[in-house]
């Protein structure tokens, strides 16, 4: 059987890749030549020559993004850090132009950037609601819009959107976050339906309680409510991202991983 996906010669753009889940995805896309290697992410060594060239998007903390780029380059891969607020349409257009000129046109897009401002019903302001929708949802539309012309022309593309268990469950952040992530899954299905004949798959991954800055900074302080008794890891989310990317017959789906918190 042929490997389901080979990223050699491909270019990937990962938003919010300076830390956390996005960082793990960026590092893995640079290293994975075929899904045969997905099971051994932790053993990844000098495989970068087999992976994608990776654009590491970030909004702040340039030092962190440059360190992801340095890690990829140290293993023989190609990468560039692009500091862009992905909720800004003009900035996204410029970002994709820069990535195209420095690494090549984007074949693989991971819409991972997100924010989780914790607010209760009474405290949530209009501005905070708008920010959550712009950063967590509109950004995926803007980035997809910017990369689609090339994907459609070549009749191949892989898009993965980062949702959350909060798209369907209560979550611990607030209703603005619920709404943004539920919207992300609707956006995923909308694009998937319209691109199914064009060789482009669009799927979502919906984790719950992965140990990153987002969780450490207050969404949940204890893993006690998780049946498995621990937070998930960014590598476990990455495995789900690579799995949906590697399956050409899977589109419009949301893959959940949440330590057994729910089975929807
Ligand atoms: P994180 O806070 O560690 O990282 C978020 C990343 O997004 C950072 O690199 C940040 O700079 C970037 N970002 C934020 N706003 C941006 C903007 N406007 N433009 C560009 N980049 C921006 O969070 P994480 O836990 O790694 O989360 C990654 C994604 O996974 C998010 O979409 C989040 O909603 C989702 N998620 C996380 C969890 C979890 O438990 N950690 C659970 C469900 C979903």
């Amino acid at each position: 059987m042929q490997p389901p996906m080979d990223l050699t010669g491909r270019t990937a753009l990962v938003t919010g890749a300076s830390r956390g889940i996005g960082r793990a995805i960026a590092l893995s896309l640079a290293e994975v030549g075929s899904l045969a290697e997905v099971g051994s992410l932790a053993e990844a060594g000098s495989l970068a020559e087999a992976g994608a060239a990776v654009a590491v998007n970030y909004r702040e903390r340039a030092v962190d993004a440059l360190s992801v780029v340095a890690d990829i380059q140290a293993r023989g891969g190609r990468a560039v850090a692009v500091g862009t607020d992905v909720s800004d349409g003009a900035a996204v257009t410029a970002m994709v132009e820069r990535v195209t000129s420095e690494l090549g046109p984007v074949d693989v897009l991971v819409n991972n950037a997100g924010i989780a401002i914790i607010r209760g019903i009474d405290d949530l302001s209009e501005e905070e609601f708008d920010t959550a929708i712009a950063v967590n949802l509109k950004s995926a539309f803007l980035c997809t819009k910017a990369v689609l012309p090339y994907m459609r022309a070549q009749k191949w593309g892989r898009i993965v959107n980062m949702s959350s268990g909060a798209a369907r469950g209560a979550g611990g952040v607030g209703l603005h976050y619920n709404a943004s992530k539920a919207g992300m899954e609707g956006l995923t299905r909308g694009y998937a339906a319209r691109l199914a004949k064009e060789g482009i798959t669009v799927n979502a991954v919906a984790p719950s309680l992965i140990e990153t800055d987002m969780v450490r900074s207050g969404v949940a302080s204890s893993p006690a409510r998780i049946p498995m008794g621990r937070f998930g890891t960014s590598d476990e989310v990455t495995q789900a991202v690579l799995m949906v990317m590697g399956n050409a017959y899977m589109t419009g789906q949301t893959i959940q991983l949440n330590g057994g918190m729910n089975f929807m």
Side-chain angles (χ1 to χ4, degrees):
M1 191 176 125
Q2 292 295 310
M5 181 178 67
D6 185 350
L7 294 178
T8 310
R10 302 282 190 195
T11 297
L13 167 60
V14 184
T15 68
S18 58
R19 62 176 193 256
I21 294 168
R23 176 180 185 277
I25 294 169
L27 291 172
S28 294
L29 289 175
E31 292 171 354
V32 174
S34 81
L35 285 190
E37 286 146 356
V38 169
S40 57
L41 286 176
E43 298 160 21
S46 57
L47 297 169
E49 66 278 3
V54 180
V56 177
N57 163 256
Y58 66 98
R59 186 191 50 182
E60 51 193 21
R61 300 205 212 174
V63 172
D64 290 354
L66 289 169
S67 133
V68 178
V69 168
D71 278 358
I72 292 171
Q73 290 173 339
R75 294 172 191 175
R78 294 172 64 219
V80 64
V82 275
T84 301
D85 177 349
V86 288
S87 66
D88 175 337
V92 166
T93 302
M95 170 178 72
V96 170
E97 282 170 4
R98 190 182 146 203
V99 172
T100 300
S101 83
E102 294 193 24
L103 296 179
V106 176
D107 309 278
V108 172
L109 170 66
V110 181
N111 287 308
N112 166 79
I115 48 168
I117 312 163
I118 298 173
R119 290 289 182 275
I121 291 178
D122 297 327
D123 301 330
L124 181 65
S125 70
E126 178 179 351
E127 187 188 359
E128 288 163 342
F129 184 89
D130 285 347
T131 301
I133 298 297
V135 175
N136 294 354
L137 174 59
K138 188 176 87 168
S139 62
F141 161 71
L142 293 173
C143 291
T144 303
K145 190 174 175 60
V147 303
L148 264 188
Y150 174 73
M151 289 184 182
R152 297 181 87 175
Q154 71 167 353
K155 296 207 173 301
W156 195 92
R158 293 287 180 269
I159 299 171
V160 180
N161 295 325
M162 198 55 64
S163 180
S164 163
R168 297 152 200 240
V173 181
L175 55 92
H176 50 308
Y177 189 77
N178 298 124
S180 69
K181 294 301 187 180
M184 191 68 136
E185 295 186 11
L187 190 82
T188 299
R189 291 190 285 269
Y191 273 124
R194 288 160 183 82
L195 295 168
K197 291 188 190 324
E198 301 189 44
I200 301 165
T201 67
V202 189
N203 291 287
V205 169
S208 284
L209 299 182
I210 307 305
E211 192 164 10
T212 66
D213 285 359
M214 190 175 276
V215 161
R216 283 188 285 265
S217 66
V219 174
S221 55
S222 160
R225 62 192 255 233
I226 304 171
M228 287 188 186
R230 67 170 177 88
F231 293 129
T233 69
S234 293
D235 273 354
E236 287 166 334
V237 181
T238 299
Q239 286 181 337
V241 169
L242 297 177
M243 179 188 75
V244 297
M245 265 183 205
N247 192 320
Y249 197 54
M250 181 184 285
T251 195
Q253 306 302 311
T254 297
I255 304 301
Q256 302 204 55
L257 61 159
N258 51 41
M261 287 172 77
N262 66 62
F263 304 111
M264 285 187 287

